[in-house]
Amino acid sequence: MNRTATILLTALAPVSWGTTYAVTTELLPADRPLFTGMMRALPAGLVLLALARVLPRGVWWGKAAVLGALNIGAFFPLLFLSAYRLPGGMAAVVGSVGPLIVVGLSAALLGQRPTTRSVLTGLVAAFGVSLVVLKAAGALDVLGVTAAFASTASMSAGTVLTKRWGRPDGVGPLALTAWQLTAGGLLIAPLALLVEGAPPALDGRAVGGYVYLALANTAIAYWLWFRGIGRLTATQVTFLGPLSPLTAAVVGWAALGQTLTPLQLAGMTLAFGATVAGQLGVRQPTVGRTFGPAGGNGAPEALRGVPRAL
């Protein structure tokens, strides 16, 4: 499959995630971020685990637990906490700094030196997203903002570590996704019971919301995301992230009766342009570049040929 097709398929993940705020606020029980995170992760992980029928081996038990904690176990509860406490737009602005975090972490962990282009593109993306959500109302909630930033930092770190560690020999992205979702869901489950108590009563709308989040929004979307991480650079993948708040804005306009002003449309154009720019101008792979042992050989499959700079 060529790079353009890989980018387009990977982009479906953040597009799907852009519907999360609407589903959370319109269909799910209020003030249950831990329960919602568990219901999104654990069923999806178990379904994919049954399909993959592959368990981690050796050091990958620990690696899967770390990646599951960063990409799922910490990310989901913090994401839903911010969704409950902030307008969706404000949470999206905080989350839009993800590409800049990944650029910095890629320099530290992948040896990919930041370029002026990547930093400027990240700033333009964040500025564009901020224009889209400028009209979001509501008092500044410190806990909500902190949760939004922490969720972004957690997944950014998970994205870079997923790229650094790659996958064990003979293991595909379906199994890697299953391990992380299951590990993250198991991490959230006892916390949800301890902090939030017994599960709430669910009506038909809530059940439908959780089924959508677990299957389309999580199982399929995360499989596409981790598959993309294995085939693209970490920065290319993370620059697809602004598609999530842009989708959220479109969903708000189309389904929730929200309006889009000319300033917001200009912001959407900037953010989308930065997303496209983040996929261009990537140097050709550097043959033989490795980052230490992982899996069964000297360099994980996902890291072979990672460019030294973006």
Side-chain angles (χ1 to χ4, degrees):
M1 181 176 293
N2 61 40
R3 192 183 71 157
T4 300
T6 298
I7 290 171
L8 292 175
L9 283 174
T10 307
L12 292 177
V15 168
S16 173
W17 298 335
T19 65
T20 302
Y21 288 114
V23 172
T24 300
T25 56
E26 298 296 317
L27 301 179
L28 304 186
D31 300 322
R32 289 297 188 111
L34 291 173
F35 177 77
T36 297
M38 180 195 70
M39 289 295 290
R40 184 181 175 189
L42 191 54
L46 293 176
V47 167
L48 294 186
L49 197 61
L51 292 174
R53 295 192 294 180
V54 177
L55 292 176
R57 294 182 179 179
V59 297
W60 269 97
W61 283 102
K63 289 183 177 182
V66 171
L67 294 177
L70 290 172
N71 286 320
I72 310 298
F75 175 67
F76 278 7
L78 291 168
L79 174 69
F80 285 112
L81 178 60
S82 67
Y84 282 124
R85 299 186 67 95
L86 296 175
M90 191 179 297
V93 169
V94 180
S96 67
V97 303
L100 295 174
I101 297 176
V102 168
V103 167
L105 290 176
S106 294
L109 298 178
L110 302 181
Q112 296 176 351
R113 178 170 45 86
T115 65
T116 302
R117 177 192 175 118
S118 63
V119 174
L120 288 178
T121 303
L123 291 173
V124 170
F127 179 66
V129 170
S130 70
L131 291 182
V132 174
V133 298
L134 267 180
K135 72 170 190 175
L140 181 65
D141 186 290
V142 175
L143 179 58
V145 171
T146 302
F149 180 80
S151 69
T152 300
S154 180
M155 190 168 184
S156 296
T159 296
V160 174
L161 280 180
T162 300
K163 188 66 181 177
R164 178 177 175 86
W165 288 340
R167 300 190 304 267
D169 290 337
V171 172
L174 185 69
L176 183 65
T177 305
W179 298 349
Q180 295 188 52
L181 287 172
T182 303
L186 291 174
L187 177 64
I188 299 170
L191 293 176
L193 184 62
L194 179 65
V195 174
E196 298 177 350
L202 302 179
D203 58 17
R205 287 164 56 88
V207 171
Y210 282 127
V211 169
Y212 168 77
L213 287 182
L215 297 181
N217 188 268
T218 302
I220 295 174
Y222 269 87
W223 170 68
L224 291 172
W225 185 253
F226 291 128
R227 175 183 175 278
I229 291 176
R231 301 185 180 202
L232 304 169
T233 69
T235 306
Q236 275 183 295
V237 172
T238 198
F239 269 114
L240 296 172
L243 292 176
S244 181
L246 296 186
T247 302
V250 172
V251 169
W253 166 74
L256 304 180
Q258 299 172 359
T259 59
L260 290 174
T261 67
L263 186 62
Q264 288 176 298
L265 293 174
M268 293 177 72
T269 302
L270 281 176
F272 184 76
T275 297
V276 173
Q279 311 308 313
L280 304 176
V282 179
R283 293 185 182 180
Q284 292 299 316
T286 303
V287 177
R289 175 69 167 166
T290 64
F291 292 88
N297 52 33
E301 177 185 352
L303 283 178
R304 292 175 192 148
V306 171
R308 301 172 69 94
L310 301 175

